[in-house]
Amino acid sequence: GVVPIDAETSFVVADSPGIIEGAAEGAGLGIQFLKHLQRTGLLLHMVELPAYEGISDPVEQFHQLSEELIKFSEQLQEKQRWLVFTKADVTTEQKAQEIAKSYAKEMGWTDKYYLISSITKFGLDDLKNDIASYLFAEPEEDWN
């Protein structure tokens, strides 16, 4: 869908489902999914904070996606990817921050990450504004 920033600025967001092991060789949505990612200006890796026991391990999923991107193409491997933790509303803000920090450390993520909630709108403005700034920035600006 289209995300408006102001009267003259907006960008389009496409939601892609998770990726499975072997996608680079055609498993699941496979090649079609990965080709679609090549057309994007920015990849947002969305990770749900745990609302209940038994959810998939987000750290394992993060590494699996990273491996499939590397296997598929150097272009995808080098594409700008941001880490976004979602469902911050499942617990207190402080606890959500602690969980996000712990996950980022386990993932080996050293860049900035985002913590958002679509229910309470927590963190959404910062993320939207940074996306717009990145997409419409001058090419020489460094976002790492």
Side-chain angles (χ1 to χ4, degrees):
V2 176
V3 178
I5 299 297
D6 57 39
E8 287 118 27
T9 310
S10 66
F11 56 85
V12 176
V13 174
D15 181 19
S16 297
I19 193 168
I20 64 169
E21 189 173 356
E25 291 84 37
L29 295 175
I31 305 299
Q32 188 177 19
F33 169 81
L34 291 163
K35 280 184 179 175
H36 175 67
L37 293 185
Q38 284 183 309
R39 296 193 302 267
T40 63
L42 172 66
L43 295 177
L44 299 180
H45 188 116
M46 314 292 273
V47 176
E48 288 183 14
L49 293 189
Y52 50 86
E53 293 297 318
I55 63 167
S56 301
D57 179 8
V59 176
E60 187 179 312
Q61 287 181 338
F62 175 84
H63 290 304
Q64 185 174 308
L65 174 62
S66 299
E67 285 176 29
E68 293 301 322
L69 294 180
I70 290 165
K71 283 183 200 172
F72 184 69
S73 86
E74 197 171 300
Q75 180 192 351
L76 264 185
Q77 178 185 351
E78 293 173 0
K79 189 172 283 287
Q80 186 74 226
R81 181 162 53 135
W82 293 1
L83 183 59
V84 181
F85 295 101
T86 66
K87 300 196 176 178
D89 53 280
V90 300
T91 185
T92 65
E93 184 180 333
Q94 182 180 349
K95 183 67 175 168
Q97 293 281 7
E98 289 171 11
I99 296 168
K101 184 177 180 179
S102 173
Y103 279 162
K105 186 176 180 181
E106 280 186 70
M107 291 169 181
W109 189 266
T110 56
D111 295 329
K112 177 180 179 179
Y113 57 83
Y114 296 84
L115 179 61
I116 65 168
S117 165
S118 56
I119 303 289
T120 66
K121 310 296 184 215
F122 173 79
L124 287 181
D125 285 343
D126 284 346
L127 178 59
K128 287 189 326 186
N129 291 332
D130 283 359
I131 291 170
S133 294
Y134 173 78
L135 293 177
F136 301 109
E138 296 300 317
E140 65 272 7
E141 287 188 39
D142 183 11
W143 279 84
N144 284 325

